[in-house]
């Protein structure tokens, strides 16, 4: 079975799970899939293998079309226990389109699903973790920065808006996200950067849109986090 879901900008499927394995793929646009491991950013050249029973939420960055094969665990030889990013070369893309065709005979579907399981190959990708504080003051700051990761305000400046001192906000972020405020903001910027890069936005423009003064500063942070340059991340 293949589900096709047109997803307008900001459309989100809240956290849920399936009794089948799912391959979440954007036939158009960019998907954001969140699991317990973090957030995965998926242009059409990538998909996320989601094992049966794993809770996940799915959203669109901009407009997207999600096309997802669902496979019965008993008939699929893949036994990956955790969400896994896979490459989507042209052959796999066409196979998904073939499986989505109406009226496909059961024996033809079974053969195509077996080939799909043979074709999926993992790629080296890291989920971005951007947990939200539960304290309302910290959450207000976090949500504002997710909306505008380039906002340069310090914790002291944010405190005047959120009704808490900078020191209090710092304690909230450390206690409730497991990160310092600076580390959390870096993750928020990287999350926004991945979505822009997946859309094909040039690296220099991405750097400025997520809050870095120079492209070299952005590239250095990105490389430390992901092991490759921004320009190469979605080409691997």
């Amino acid at each position: 079975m293949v589900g096709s879901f047109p997803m307008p900008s900001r459309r989100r499927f809240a956290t849920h799970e399936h009794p089948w394995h799912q391959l979440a793929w954007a036939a158009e646009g960019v998907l954001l899939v969140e699991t317990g491991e973090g957030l995965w950013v998926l242009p059409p050249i990538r998909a996320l293998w989601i094992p049966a029973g794993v809770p996940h939420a799915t959203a669109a960055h901009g407009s997207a079309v999600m096309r997802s094969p669902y496979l019965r665990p008993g008939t699929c030889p893949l036994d990956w226990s955790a969400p896994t990013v896979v490459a989507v070369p042209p052959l796999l893309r066409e196979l998904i389109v073939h499986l989505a065709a109406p009226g496909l005979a059961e024996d033809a579907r079974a053969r195509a699903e077996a080939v799909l399981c043979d074709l999926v190959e993992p790629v080296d990708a890291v989920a971005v973790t951007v947990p939200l504080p539960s304290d309302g003051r910290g959450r207000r700051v976090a949500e504002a920065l997710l909306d505008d990761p380039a906002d340069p305000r310090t914790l002291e400046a944010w405190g005047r808006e959120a009704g808490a001192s900078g020191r209090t906000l710092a304690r909230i972020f450390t206690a409730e996200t497991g990160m310092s405020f600076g580390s959390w903001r870096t993750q928020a910027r990287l999350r926004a950067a991945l979505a822009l890069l997946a859309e094909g936005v040039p690296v220099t423009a991405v750097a400025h849109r997520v809050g870095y003064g120079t492209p070299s500063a952005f590239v250095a942070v990105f490389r430390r986090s992901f092991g490759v340059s921004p320009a190469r991340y979605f080409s691997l």
Side-chain angles (χ1 to χ4, degrees):
M1 177 177 69
V2 175
S4 293
F5 309 95
M7 299 183 70
S9 181
R10 304 284 183 168
R11 175 71 184 274
R12 175 181 171 84
F13 295 120
T15 301
H16 60 286
E17 59 187 72
H18 308 290
W20 320 282
H21 301 314
Q22 178 185 0
L23 188 64
W25 174 59
E28 300 173 20
V30 177
L31 286 182
L32 308 176
V33 181
E34 191 165 5
T35 72
E37 297 183 20
L39 181 82
W40 309 92
V41 179
L42 307 166
I45 60 169
R46 299 276 180 91
L48 185 68
W49 180 269
I50 306 170
V54 171
H56 59 281
T58 308
H61 178 78
S63 268
V65 174
M66 179 170 66
R67 193 159 287 151
S68 286
Y70 296 92
L71 302 167
R72 293 184 296 271
T75 62
C76 178
L78 297 176
D79 59 357
W80 299 336
S81 60
T84 303
V85 177
V86 303
V88 183
L91 180 57
L92 180 55
R93 181 172 62 244
E94 293 305 318
L95 184 59
I96 295 171
V97 172
H98 171 67
L99 281 166
L104 191 63
E106 278 303 310
D107 57 344
R109 180 176 303 280
R111 290 193 298 270
E113 288 179 351
V115 175
L116 183 148
C117 291
D118 286 340
L119 288 177
V120 292
E121 294 188 1
V123 296
D124 194 11
V126 178
V128 180
T129 304
V130 194
L132 292 175
S134 57
D135 185 289
R137 296 164 296 179
R139 194 178 189 93
R140 182 176 177 180
V141 175
E143 289 177 343
L145 284 170
L146 288 175
D147 285 340
D148 181 12
D151 192 313
R153 278 180 283 181
T154 64
L155 269 183
E156 287 71 24
W158 279 113
R160 289 190 288 274
E161 182 172 318
S165 69
R167 185 172 296 180
T168 296
L169 286 176
R171 285 198 297 267
I172 289 170
F173 271 88
T174 300
E176 298 189 359
T177 72
M179 306 178 199
S180 69
F181 173 72
S183 295
W184 187 94
R185 178 151 61 183
T186 295
Q187 290 293 103
R189 288 176 169 176
L190 289 172
R191 167 179 168 161
L194 285 174
L196 293 169
L197 291 167
E199 290 182 331
V201 177
V203 171
T204 297
V206 172
H208 292 303
R209 286 174 64 174
V210 301
Y212 288 92
T214 64
S216 60
F218 167 62
V219 170
V221 171
F222 193 98
R223 190 184 293 275
R224 282 199 301 270
S225 298
F226 299 114
V228 296
S229 70
R232 290 195 59 212
Y233 184 80
F234 285 117
S235 65
L236 299 176

